[in-house]
Amino acid sequence: MPKVVIRKDGQCFEGEVRPNTNLVVRAGIKQFPFPHLNYGCGMGKCSKCMCKVLHGGEHLAAPNWKEQKQLGDQLDAGFRLACQLWIHHDIELSQDETALA
């Protein structure tokens, strides 16, 4: 099962998810990655779930049109929308304020 690490506000949250898991869906039903993940609409429209991919980005699907529209040049810096990611491999993400600035 894929291991997910989320860094936020100086804390580190770790857990495993089933393959083909969407983290925002899991957060919405109060399962991993805990309710600590920032998210809003879950449809790629608000960008509240924006995170920086620290490790494992090579296993993610290419950014879709929603991510391209919301994030633009930030994609090149490693940012993605968690609501648009389906996790199949280990991944480490950050929603630290310093990473998002």
Side-chain angles (χ1 to χ4, degrees):
M1 292 203 314
K3 178 182 175 184
V4 178
V5 176
I6 297 179
R7 299 190 179 281
K8 184 175 176 183
D9 302 328
Q11 297 182 327
C12 181
F13 305 99
E14 298 182 30
E16 290 184 340
V17 295
R18 292 187 177 140
N20 201 33
T21 291
N22 179 282
L23 300 179
V24 170
V25 170
R26 291 285 124 204
I29 59 175
K30 305 300 184 230
Q31 293 183 357
F32 183 80
F34 319 113
H36 302 2
L37 181 70
N38 288 344
Y39 65 95
C41 71
M43 299 184 301
K45 294 181 180 181
C46 71
S47 72
K48 289 181 182 178
C49 65
M50 182 174 77
C51 54
K52 185 166 190 173
V53 178
L54 302 176
H55 299 288
E58 68 274 12
H59 299 295
L60 296 173
N64 62 25
W65 67 271
K66 294 176 183 182
E67 289 183 287
Q68 291 172 8
K69 180 180 177 183
Q70 290 295 328
L71 300 177
D73 292 340
Q74 292 176 307
L75 288 168
D76 295 334
F79 289 94
R80 300 291 299 266
L81 297 178
C83 71
Q84 299 301 300
L85 303 180
W86 294 90
I87 308 301
H88 296 275
H89 299 277
D90 293 355
I91 193 164
E92 183 174 350
L93 306 171
S94 175
Q95 278 193 328
D96 276 327
E97 292 301 320
T98 55
L100 300 177

